Amino acid sequence: MQRSGKLPSVTARIAVLASGTGSNLEAILNHFADGAAAETGAVVLVASDNPRAGALARARARGIPATTLPNWADGPAIVDRLRDARIDTIALAGYLRFLPPEITRGYRGRVLNVHPALLPAFGGRGMYGHRVHDAVIAAGARVSGATVHFVDEEYDHGPIIAQEPVPVFPDDDAATLAQRVLRTEHAIYPRSIEAVVAGRVVLCENGRVRGSI
Ligand code: GRF
């Protein structure tokens, strides 16, 4: 039998988890607001461990369901929340809590994170916010940058999707460096999420990443 008409378009349902200001969330929302990205995916849920997170307010201002995760360590409860909202892709955007293994295993290859340095340097437990940039400056590094990676069971450890370098200047402090790196995060993170939901970037069985943004 011949089929007529267009195939239904498949739109990924993305959840963003954030603990803080939410500037990366804003960049993601802007990216998926129109154009080709809007046809590949949509942010349908924003969740935070912190009820005062600016990210929740940004989501609500755009009419996107926003929720707190009081039981952020309760993996099965979070999985239930994600399943209820039919989430298939999760983007951590300044999310400071350890993601329970039920999520990293259940959504393998579908959970992304952005880190404000060039991993595997300057990452790991306790390396977040200005601590990362202080460590980069203290080490005398001339280059820092942003990394987008798949999330596994260790902090800042999963397979790398994209990286972009950012110069470190002699008079930088953590705040000026953070600002410069953040602009790069905003550029590469939304594109990375789109590449994953569109299937252009894939986490292979052997743990390697195929494709590029
Ligand atoms: C970003 O630098 C992100 O890489 C880090 O925390 C910061 C969050 O910023 N993990 P924002 O909340 O997206 O503005």
Side-chain angles (χ1 to χ4, degrees), residues 18-28 54-55 58 92-96 113-117 127-130 132-133 145-147 156 178 181-182 185-186 189:
S19 300
T21 320
S23 71
N24 274 291
L25 167 68
E26 191 84 38
I28 295 165
R58 287 186 202 248
L92 308 185
Y95 186 65
L96 297 180
N113 183 42
V114 64
H115 183 76
M127 276 296 227
Y128 59 86
H130 279 195
V132 178
H133 306 294
T147 301
D156 302 329
V181 171
L182 204 51
E185 293 180 50
H186 296 166
Y189 198 24

Side-chain angles (χ1 to χ4, degrees), residues 59-120:
R60 290 187 182 120
R62 292 187 182 228
I64 296 167
T67 183
T68 49
L69 299 172
N71 302 324
W72 50 264
D74 184 348
I78 299 174
V79 168
D80 281 348
R81 278 292 246 292
L82 297 171
R83 289 211 179 119
D84 281 350
R86 292 181 289 118
I87 299 300
D88 47 60
T89 305
I90 302 159
L92 308 185
Y95 186 65
L96 297 180
R97 301 293 186 179
F98 187 72
L99 208 57
E102 288 84 359
I103 303 164
T104 38
R105 291 196 199 114
Y107 289 82
R108 189 175 180 278
R110 308 295 301 184
V111 190
L112 296 83
N113 183 42
V114 64
H115 183 76
L118 294 177
L119 294 175

Side-chain angles (χ1 to χ4, degrees), residues 1-9:
M1 191 177 80
Q2 203 175 359
R3 297 181 118 176
S4 62
K6 273 175 42 177
L7 288 171
S9 61

